[in-house]
Amino acid sequence: MRWDAFSFIDLFAGIGGIRLGFEAVGGCCVFSSEFDEDACRTYEANFHEHPAGDITKIEAGSIPDFDILLGGFPCQAFSIIGKKEGFANETCGTLFFDIERILREKRPEAFMLENVRNLTAHDGGNTFRVIITHLEALGYHVHHKVLNALDYGVPQKRERIIIVGFRDDVRFEFPRPLPPSERKTLSDILETHVDERYYVRDEIRLSRLSRLKDRNYPRPYISHENMAGSVTPHPYSSALRAGASANYILINDERRPTEREMLRIQGFPDTYKIVAPYGKIKKQTGNSVAVPVIKAVAREMIRALKDFSQSHAEKNALYGRATEIKRFKTFDDAHFVPAECVS
């Protein structure tokens, strides 16, 4: 059946979180692009291909044909260029422009884009307005929604906007949250034997505990220190961040998460290879996506495309039968007798 297997490209690929989600529902990656060389090395170790480099320097025509475009692109303002040059040029100089030019030339059946929640409010809402307007101008039916990773099986509060588009007017709905019984907890993802190097100094631990809002909070927990210095415990992680301080989140206010735990917080499988030092893995996981969220969206996209494809095939079949019946339309004259019936 159409869409049991499909092809996609992985733009702004990072360490492949979006790729994992779409491979899980039958997709095959035919092209990937990532600017950060450290992320490329991690990607290559796990997918056995080195992503192409800077997407701004890659011609759309050189990219293999594909069914779905995927990308977690950076958030950049459009307003200054837009005011000077008008609609046709208001995305120039941004990385969204590269998504736009590839969609325009390659015309894939669908796309999925991921970004920070604040994209909708960025530059007073202008950035998001420009993005949606330009995607619709390309002829795509666009859907968007903010999804929280907590609702899809990982212990991390990570809200991201997902933008989905289809060339055809398919009936698409974003995935429903998982029931609590199907979601992983901190106990499910924390390692039991952790090296001493992950533990913080006593002065840091005591300082955190002295500012902890609830000292009787049940373990395990992950605490987050906000800008005001307040420390709040949760049964889940705050959103992993690439540029966060070393003690941004602590487990039980005594240690930092391990490389494997950070990957698990993002929903990566334990088979995923770690080939970079701690600081780089911290950055890479912070820049990545929650894989179960992407997988859930991918599943609904493919479901919608399959349903549309089947419905379209059924309509074509009915039209074909109607055309065949029309060829044998009866005469209105009740007295007409075919010549072969006259003796």
Side-chain angles (χ1 to χ4, degrees), residues 265-287:
I265 286 171
Q266 287 282 45
F268 281 73
D270 281 358
T271 53
Y272 194 88
K273 296 182 179 69
I274 298 170
V275 296
Y278 188 89
K280 291 180 178 179
I281 285 292
K282 179 171 168 285
K283 176 184 176 182
Q284 291 169 10
T285 53
N287 279 332

Side-chain angles (χ1 to χ4, degrees), residues 153 155 180-191 220 261 264 270:
S181 61
E182 295 181 22
R183 303 178 191 181
K184 287 187 176 181
T185 67
L186 279 181
S187 296
D188 295 324
I189 66 100
L190 294 180
E191 296 193 88
E261 287 169 341
R264 288 175 179 174
D270 281 358

Side-chain angles (χ1 to χ4, degrees), residues 135-156:
L135 292 172
E136 290 177 341
L138 290 173
Y140 285 93
H141 301 271
V142 182
H143 311 257
H144 55 84
K145 188 174 184 179
V146 173
L147 302 180
N148 190 339
L150 271 178
D151 294 329
Y152 298 94
V154 292
Q156 179 189 190

Side-chain angles (χ1 to χ4, degrees), residues 155 185-187 189-190 205-206 208-225 231-238 249-257 261 265:
T185 67
L186 279 181
S187 296
I189 66 100
L190 294 180
R205 178 176 60 84
L206 293 173
R208 291 282 287 238
L209 289 173
S210 69
R211 290 176 286 130
L212 191 65
K213 283 191 173 182
D214 182 357
R215 297 193 184 188
N216 297 314
Y217 199 86
R219 293 187 173 201
Y221 66 82
I222 291 184
S223 68
H224 164 238
E225 182 176 13
V231 179
T232 306
H234 293 290
Y236 53 79
S237 173
S238 298
I249 58 172
L250 290 182
I251 297 164
N252 299 328
D253 281 306
E254 60 188 18
R255 69 173 180 86
R256 304 179 184 97
E261 287 169 341
I265 286 171

Side-chain angles (χ1 to χ4, degrees), residues 9 30 54 60 69 77 80 87 101 121 129 132 137 183 185 193 211 238 243 248 274 285 311 313 317:
I9 64 170
V30 296
D54 188 351
L69 179 147
I80 297 175
F87 181 84
R101 69 179 174 85
R129 177 194 63 77
I132 298 303
R183 303 178 191 181
T185 67
H193 302 288
R211 290 176 286 130
S238 298
Y248 166 64
I274 298 170
T285 53
S311 174

Side-chain angles (χ1 to χ4, degrees), residues 29 32 41 77 81 86 94 108 112 153 175 177 179 202 229 236 240 255 267 299:
C29 184
S32 59
R41 282 192 282 270
I81 297 171
T94 69
M112 190 222 72
D202 283 345
Y236 53 79
L240 298 185
R255 69 173 180 86
R299 186 185 298 113

